[in-house]
Amino acid sequence: LLRDVLLQRGTPVILTDPIYLEVAVATAVLGFFFAGLIARFKWTLIVLEGLSLGFLCTVGALPALREGLGAGSAIFLGVVTGVGGLVLRDLMAGEAPEILRPGIFVGVAALIGTVVFVGLIEQKANSVSAQIIAMAVVMILRILGEKRGWRTKSAIDITDRTWDFWQRGKRKSKKDNDVDLTNSTGGIGTK
């Protein structure tokens, strides 16, 4: 949906092909009624999440490349397509999007997977092979992130440190540029 809207391709394919909505509804119903059972398969879910995230990143990036957009635009669309569903889910649940908060290693995995995919395509790799490799990369990053406890950190505001550094540089520069105006007759000078 997001990819098609951003590429201005007319009505998004998710609305024109009923299979997308049917799968989404079936998955939502299963998740709603069997959340406890599904939660017992944590590692299976992480593997599936990694594969689906990688798939969505490639599905977002490939049309951008086919439309003649540059690598940066394709990477942007790939990441937006990959994580867009997560953002919408959180917003609809009335929560701050998880991807914008410190926590699980999802957005970074999506970015790395999309960069790998676009890089392979730019090197003239077969799109199916590139997609499989990118999906594997994202899945491995998700598994490693979970096993090793990789978490994204909170943003660090460095405004004060930057301002202090800049002010020190200004003071030092001013001190170096001051001129000794003392003359040989004993007049008043400044330094």
Side-chain angles (χ1 to χ4, degrees):
L1 180 67
L2 290 171
R3 177 201 68 197
D4 291 347
V5 168
L6 289 172
L7 287 175
Q8 299 179 356
R9 298 174 80 185
T11 305
V13 70
I14 193 169
L15 299 175
T16 59
D17 188 348
I19 190 70
Y20 289 103
L21 291 176
E22 291 167 4
V23 169
V25 169
T27 305
V29 168
L30 283 173
F32 185 80
F33 288 110
F34 298 102
L37 177 64
I38 293 169
R40 294 179 186 160
F41 299 99
K42 176 184 176 185
W43 289 105
T44 303
L45 290 174
I46 289 171
V47 168
L48 290 174
E49 179 186 273
L51 288 173
S52 64
L53 182 62
F55 175 74
L56 289 171
C57 290
T58 62
V59 165
L62 188 58
L65 292 171
R66 287 185 177 155
E67 294 282 332
L69 298 176
S73 297
I75 291 168
F76 172 76
L77 275 170
V79 173
V80 165
T81 302
V83 301
L86 301 173
V87 172
L88 290 175
R89 176 202 65 198
D90 291 343
L91 290 175
M92 292 168 110
E95 300 173 4
E98 190 175 272
I99 195 154
L100 300 177
R101 294 179 280 150
I104 62 174
F105 197 71
V106 174
V108 175
L111 176 62
I112 292 170
T114 306
V115 167
V116 166
F117 177 74
V118 170
L120 289 169
I121 295 296
E122 292 283 313
Q123 296 300 316
K124 308 294 183 218
N126 176 299
S127 63
V128 173
S129 300
Q131 187 175 40
I132 290 169
I133 291 168
M135 289 170 60
V137 165
V138 175
M139 180 191 67
I140 289 166
L141 287 172
R142 276 296 292 125
I143 291 170
L144 287 175
E146 197 64 36
K147 282 191 180 222
R148 296 189 177 194
W150 292 344
R151 299 285 183 251
T152 56
K153 305 269 188 229
S154 296
I156 300 170
D157 186 358
I158 61 169
T159 305
D160 292 336
R161 285 187 252 172
T162 304
W163 182 256
D164 290 343
F165 177 78
W166 184 67
Q167 289 297 321
R168 273 183 280 163
K170 242 176 118 174
R171 284 191 298 262
K172 183 179 177 190
S173 171
K174 185 177 179 185
K175 203 178 208 182
D176 292 343
N177 290 332
D178 283 347
V179 178
D180 186 2
L181 299 176
T182 307
N183 58 34
S184 59
T185 60
I188 300 176
T190 60
K191 185 165 184 173

